[in-house]
Amino acid sequence: MTQTTIPEMYGCMVFNDKVMRERLPKDAYKAVRKTIETGKSLDLDVANTVAATMKEWAVERGATHFTHWFQPMTGLTAEKHDSFINPDDKGNVIMNFSGKELVKGEPDASSFPSGGIRATFEARGYTAWDPSSYAFVKDGSLYIPTAFCSYTGESLDKKTPLLRSMDVLNHEATHMLHFLGRENVKRVDTTIGSEQEYFLIDKDLYLSRKDLVLTGRTLLGAPAPKGQEMEDHYFGVLKPKVSAFMHDLDEELWKLGVPAKTKHNEVAPAQHELAPVFEMSNIAVDHNQLTMEIMKKVADRHNMACLLHEKPFDGVNGSGKHVNWSMGTDTGENLLEPGKTPAENTQFLVFLVAVIAAVDKYADLMRASVATAGNDHRLGANEAPPAVVSIFVGDELAKILDAIEAGETPEDAERTLMDIGAKVLPTLMKDTTDRNRTSPFAFTGNKFEFRMPGSAVSVADPAIILNTAVADSLREIRKSLESTPKEDLTTAIMAHLQKLLKEHKKILFNGNGYAEDWVDQAVARGLYNLKSVPDAMPAFLDPKNTKLLEDYHIYSASEIHARYEINLENYAKAIHIESLTLQDMIKKDVTPSILSYSTAICDEALSKKELSPDIDTSYETELVAELSKYYASIRAGLKKLSCDTKAAEDESDSLKKAVLYHDTILSDMVAIRTAVDAAEAEIPSDYLTYPTYEEMLFSLR
């Protein structure tokens, strides 16, 4: 039996450029390429040709339906499937797919989050084909990546503003390169590589935990005797079940053209990571959404559950999604590549300082772009960057930037060889910068790594803000210098970079982001410390930020306000569901366990006394008293949580409601959990109706 090779497998379910070039007529192929590269609309005749060819290719791969695949503001993906069948009046059926069906769809828009843009009775919405992200076949359907908007034209998704931000950055970055004499560059694209962290546990154990099923995280649970303190899981040998899952996951992703590259164990028990190769931003966003979906499906096939929540288990590290971001030209150049002499590379320094200025000026918006109920649990918890945005550039670049700021000639540090000390080992070239794992926004050689996004978020949100902010920064630099005579340009550029560094150097921090005094130091510098969603969301309505987003037509005023409302509403809903789930588990799981075990202890003590009045039952008495104390605390906390949740639910103002859920409901839940976990630590697992941390974290062999 012939085994399929990886090159044969890779992209076999994708209607990619290779397939289009082979199957489409030359004129149609050229028209599609022009649409992808310039945004020019396809003529209907060409769209019909593409649709017919795409349908034939998809049917060959088992597709019976097609769907416009889009990303509403739920943070998930959405799809409505229509079959290719077209029956005639003679009882026959043909498989048909038109250009109109390819280019435009009309899903119901009334039940997706809209932040007030659409009323419930206003149902019509439109999906529009994104030809720059290739269609693919999955689960018997042809998936067509699309944007999603309302009947009145407002964006109701994450892809539309992402594409807008990519266009804006392309425009400003290309203009800057032309200004610097690089007339050969026609386009600049942003690229993203998203490192995806996740947990794997036994599926049966997962289904036995109501909190995991309904909220994505455990709302109670005493810690296991062993956690991550031995540091033995990180990069450890893959367990057979996990290795088999990862093997199948790679193959499923490769078939869909997702360039899954790296896989390994992460820090916490049962935690793992997958990292892809860099791709153009909108494709990377699509592929990350696909990755999360396929992870769950493959895990299910292996009788496992894949947990993508940022903090599924208390007391061990949560999961993030590190977004590696860069800019590249159509000539194949990485604009964040320092080269051999970064101090002399004016172009690199312009783009580097533009990013620094952008992140400092719009740090509050960057923080807001990754603010979710789940991510609040990990940011600043000494397992992820703090909620303060800062930039790490490394010692070499720091010296160069310091010299520019001081008006001095910067000097480059030469790369040196590392002698590891054993003759059998090779001599290694030492990198010019170390890696700072505690920095929210770190330069890592030829890209920036934004480490604040949570594992469950859409990569689109931070990319939109970063693209737009950097575009604005590049425009400001160019506008400030465009009247400068050519012979004075280099001097003028360095002088302007000096000015920008003086204004924005407060964002640069090469130290330990986990240090206790860093947050205080950051606030003293004037940096934002937005610890929670209610703290961060008002950034969307800050005049500085609304001006940025409106001026570059990323969002209209109504679209900005809609996202503000949706994010606050999602936050309140998430914690509301957690509150109700915890209350339900207390009543149906925790209470019976405590009472059953307490009764068993009392019966044991009475049996001993019946046997002999002199037998010491002080242990049983103390344990029952201890459990009774926890039980009383739990019942009192439950009553308070119920009342406070009702009060929060009745609040109509979205920000006030979010504040109530953060300040009051979460505090109530923590107080109850403290008592529950203490009681659980005393109760044998036989009396518990749900699996423990020890069982879940160490369930896979």
Side-chain angles (χ1 to χ4, degrees):
M1 183 176 179
T2 305
Q3 186 174 2
T4 303
T5 65
I6 292 177
E8 291 172 328
M9 177 193 304
Y10 191 83
C12 66
M13 304 301 280
V14 184
F15 193 75
N16 54 29
D17 185 78
K18 178 184 177 182
V19 175
M20 289 191 289
R21 191 168 58 248
E22 291 174 351
R23 292 192 174 230
L24 289 174
K26 287 185 179 179
D27 290 346
Y29 172 73
K30 288 180 180 179
V32 173
R33 289 306 313 171
K34 190 170 185 178
T35 295
I36 293 172
E37 293 164 7
T38 68
K40 182 181 181 297
S41 298
L42 277 181
D43 292 336
L44 183 57
D45 287 344
V46 176
N48 282 328
T49 300
V50 174
T53 305
M54 191 182 289
K55 183 262 300 179
E56 290 175 5
W57 170 86
V59 169
E60 289 172 11
R61 281 151 184 78
T64 57
H65 290 67
F66 69 92
T67 179
H68 275 204
W69 185 63
F70 57 100
Q71 299 171 32
M73 289 183 286
T74 57
L76 305 172
T77 58
E79 53 197 60
K80 181 187 75 170
H81 299 254
D82 290 297
S83 72
F84 290 126
I85 66 167
N86 187 16
D88 61 21
D89 56 3
K90 298 179 181 178
N92 300 313
V93 67
I94 60 172
M95 303 289 273
N96 191 44
F97 183 50
S98 69
K100 182 180 179 182
E101 290 172 312
L102 168 63
V103 172
K104 176 184 172 184
E106 295 188 18
D108 187 334
S110 64
S111 296
F112 290 108
S114 71
I117 287 178
R118 302 291 285 157
T120 302
F121 65 88
E122 296 172 319
R124 190 178 296 278
Y126 297 115
T127 50
W129 177 36
D130 171 17
S132 64
S133 184
Y134 299 127
F136 55 92
V137 170
K138 181 175 71 70
D139 301 331
S141 285
L142 171 66
Y143 280 70
I144 304 160
T146 61
F148 179 46
C149 66
S150 73
Y151 177 70
T152 48
E154 293 97 344
S155 161
L156 292 175
D157 68 341
K158 296 180 182 289
K159 169 161 282 194
T160 303
L162 175 63
L163 293 172
R164 293 170 181 168
S165 74
M166 291 169 63
D167 287 343
V168 165
L169 188 133
N170 166 49
H171 181 268
E172 295 301 337
T174 303
H175 268 57
M176 174 59 78
L177 290 171
H178 291 175
F179 179 70
L180 296 174
R182 298 290 309 283
E183 297 289 344
N184 61 316
V185 174
K186 304 302 180 186
R187 182 172 182 84
V188 173
D189 287 309
T190 56
T191 59
I192 285 176
S194 304
E195 302 172 29
Q196 180 70 55
E197 295 176 344
Y198 60 98
F199 280 80
L200 289 175
I201 67 170
D202 180 90
K203 182 168 68 173
D204 293 333
L205 298 179
Y206 166 79
L207 294 174
S208 298
R209 290 286 309 210
K210 189 178 300 182
D211 46 4
L212 279 179
V213 172
L214 297 181
T215 75
R217 74 180 182 104
T218 53
L219 303 175
L220 49 84
K226 179 180 184 291
Q228 63 191 53
E229 59 272 24
M230 293 302 294
E231 300 170 335
D232 55 346
H233 192 256
Y234 190 54
F235 281 18
V237 175
L238 299 176
K239 295 175 182 176
K241 287 184 179 180
V242 173
S243 180
F245 159 82
M246 288 181 170
H247 175 81
D248 286 357
L249 175 63
D250 279 341
E251 290 196 347
E252 292 296 331
L253 292 175
W254 291 339
K255 290 175 186 176
L256 295 170
V258 179
K261 178 76 171 176
T262 303
K263 57 186 180 183
H264 62 84
N265 289 342
E266 254 300 331
V267 173
Q271 188 184 32
H272 314 280
E273 181 178 302
L274 178 149
V277 177
F278 280 59
E279 299 178 283
M280 195 163 70
S281 292
N282 64 316
I283 297 174
V285 169
D286 285 356
H287 281 173
N288 183 252
Q289 294 290 148
L290 262 180
T291 296
M292 291 190 287
E293 176 194 334
I294 301 301
M295 278 179 168
K296 287 182 172 290
K297 288 186 176 180
V298 174
D300 189 66
R301 292 207 306 258
H302 285 255
N303 201 40
M304 293 187 283
C306 175
L307 309 180
L308 294 172
H309 192 284
E310 286 79 5
K311 193 72 172 179
F313 300 104
D314 191 43
V316 298
N317 278 14
S319 297
K321 176 147 45 194
H322 307 157
V323 177
N324 295 278
W325 179 92
S326 191
M327 296 172 280
T329 68
D330 60 334
T331 59
E333 183 180 5
N334 182 346
L335 296 176
L336 292 179
E337 177 64 61
K340 295 181 180 179
T341 56
E344 298 176 6
N345 188 338
T346 302
Q347 176 182 292
F348 164 72
L349 292 173
V350 166
F351 280 87
L352 175 69
V353 175
V355 174
I356 292 171
V359 173
D360 182 43
K361 186 174 181 180
Y362 298 105
D364 55 341
L365 206 48
M366 291 279 290
R367 168 67 181 97
S369 73
V370 298
T372 65
N375 210 20
D376 280 359
H377 292 293
R378 61 179 279 276
L379 292 181
N382 283 0
E383 62 184 61
V388 179
V389 177
S390 65
I391 300 176
F392 167 85
V393 293
D395 292 338
E396 180 191 353
L397 282 181
K399 290 177 183 177
I400 292 171
L401 297 177
D402 286 344
I404 294 172
E405 184 196 349
E408 301 170 353
T409 301
E411 296 180 359
D412 287 308
E414 294 184 2
R415 297 183 71 185
T416 59
L417 297 177
M418 294 176 64
D419 183 359
I420 305 178
K423 292 181 180 179
V424 71
L425 297 177
T427 302
L428 301 179
M429 186 68 73
K430 184 177 181 179
D431 289 320
T432 52
T433 62
D434 202 345
R435 299 188 72 191
N436 190 324
R437 307 298 290 177
T438 71
S439 175
F441 198 78
F443 185 73
T444 56
N446 60 3
K447 63 186 185 300
F448 279 97
E449 182 182 20
F450 190 29
R451 295 174 55 82
M452 292 181 82
S455 52
V457 304
S458 169
V459 183
D461 292 316
I464 290 165
I465 302 305
L466 187 54
N467 291 347
T468 311
V470 173
D472 181 64
S473 191
L474 289 169
R475 185 176 189 274
E476 187 275 330
I477 294 172
R478 179 173 55 83
K479 288 289 185 181
S480 298
L481 297 169
E482 61 186 1
S483 60
T484 305
K486 190 173 182 179
E487 61 271 19
D488 299 329
L489 185 58
T490 300
T491 302
I493 286 174
M494 298 308 289
H496 191 70
L497 296 185
Q498 178 186 31
K499 172 179 174 291
L500 287 175
L501 287 170
K502 286 182 177 180
E503 291 176 5
H504 300 289
K505 66 179 180 181
K506 67 179 184 293
I507 198 75
L508 299 177
F509 178 64
N510 283 351
N512 180 9
Y514 293 171
E516 292 183 6
D517 64 344
W518 162 234
V519 172
D520 293 337
Q521 181 187 337
V523 173
R525 290 187 183 193
L527 302 181
Y528 298 98
N529 182 21
L530 306 174
K531 296 180 180 179
S532 68
V533 170
D535 292 334
M537 275 308 116
F540 272 107
L541 303 185
D542 185 294
K544 160 182 69 77
N545 297 331
T546 57
K547 184 177 189 306
L548 172 78
L549 297 170
E550 289 186 74
D551 283 356
Y552 287 100
H553 306 290
I554 306 302
Y555 299 120
S556 65
S558 62
E559 289 172 340
I560 292 171
H561 195 268
R563 279 149 182 82
Y564 166 81
E565 291 289 342
I566 288 168
N567 288 333
L568 288 173
E569 182 182 20
N570 286 345
Y571 178 81
K573 285 179 177 178
I575 299 177
H576 185 75
I577 292 170
E578 289 182 354
S579 172
L580 297 184
T581 302
L582 180 58
Q583 293 178 54
D584 193 65
M585 291 184 73
I586 297 286
K587 295 172 183 175
K588 297 178 181 178
D589 296 298
V590 175
T591 294
S593 295
I594 293 176
L595 293 180
S596 295
Y597 186 48
S598 297
T599 299
I601 297 170
C602 290
D603 290 344
E604 178 68 20
L606 289 173
S607 296
K608 287 182 178 181
K609 286 297 184 182
E610 287 180 5
L611 184 64
S612 172
D614 296 330
I615 293 179
D616 183 11
T617 58
S618 59
Y619 171 75
E620 288 86 349
T621 302
E622 290 173 6
L623 184 54
V624 171
E626 193 75 10
L627 289 173
S628 297
K629 182 183 71 173
Y630 295 142
Y631 182 70
S633 177
I634 293 167
R635 298 303 297 180
L638 184 64
K639 184 175 181 180
K640 184 176 187 303
L641 177 61
S642 178
C643 292
D644 289 344
T645 301
K646 182 65 170 66
E649 186 179 11
D650 291 340
E651 174 58 57
S652 58
D653 181 272
S654 56
L655 182 57
K656 290 179 180 178
K657 174 178 281 196
V659 169
L660 275 174
Y661 275 106
H662 178 269
D663 292 353
T664 304
I665 306 306
L666 283 179
S667 296
D668 289 349
M669 292 171 63
V670 169
I672 292 175
R673 177 171 189 158
T674 301
V676 171
D677 290 359
E680 182 189 308
E682 301 290 348
I683 299 173
S685 57
D686 290 349
Y687 286 87
L688 297 174
T689 60
Y690 52 85
T692 64
Y693 268 34
E694 179 181 352
E695 293 172 296
M696 290 184 289
L697 290 173
F698 300 96
S699 62
L700 301 180
R701 298 287 184 266

